[in-house]
Amino acid sequence: MDKALRDRLASGIAQLGLDVSDEQIAALLRYRDMLERWNKAYNLTAIRDPMEMVVRHLLDSLAIAPHLHGHHFVDVGTGPGLPGIPVSIVKPETRWWLLDSNGKKTRFLFQVKSQLGLSNIDIVESRVETWQPGREFDGVVTRAFADIARTCDQCRHLLASDARLYAMKSQLVGTELSELGDNFELEENIELSVPGLGESRWLTVLGLSPHRG
């Protein structure tokens, strides 16, 4: 099974066009192993099958990596570290703040950071609307977090003037975008192709409107 998981991951990474070392692939698989072990007690994810974890967690997260711009990102509602942990492993030049209000999940994240030696991540236990980091970020990333209008409202204070909000979605969010306020404007909707996943995936990229109030 270990070889099958590694082969599926390596093949998927190649399909995504990412330049990833053997050491980074090993780190991704160690993260998956930890997620599976901790899941038994902490219920971190509904996905239990090891191969599904590779596709639905690792490759699904990594599919956004080529589309991110900047170096400082906050992963809002990160849960067990998705997509922040996988992307931080393959893009060590970036820095990530992993934000979640669930103490069980943040305890897991601290363990991942320690065991994998991920010096480019910080873990924050807080609700996004009450978190005051004292800085802005190049990008805010969300995955299965909330509708677009609520996401923009709660994350606005985290964004630098030229930053982007990246919302990972399972379908095209045309209806949600119609409720977008004046502070944000749509830059692009990117249809993602997640290797091994026969389902729709989209990345909605929003920027701050130059005409915002």
Side-chain angles (χ1 to χ4, degrees), residues 58 69 96 128 151:
L58 300 184
H69 301 278
W96 287 78
V128 62
T151 298

Side-chain angles (χ1 to χ4, degrees), residues 2 18 33 41 43 56 92 97 141 144 159-161 170:
D2 288 348
L18 298 172
D33 290 344
N43 195 30
R56 292 182 176 273
W97 283 257
V141 182
L159 290 162
S161 60
S170 59

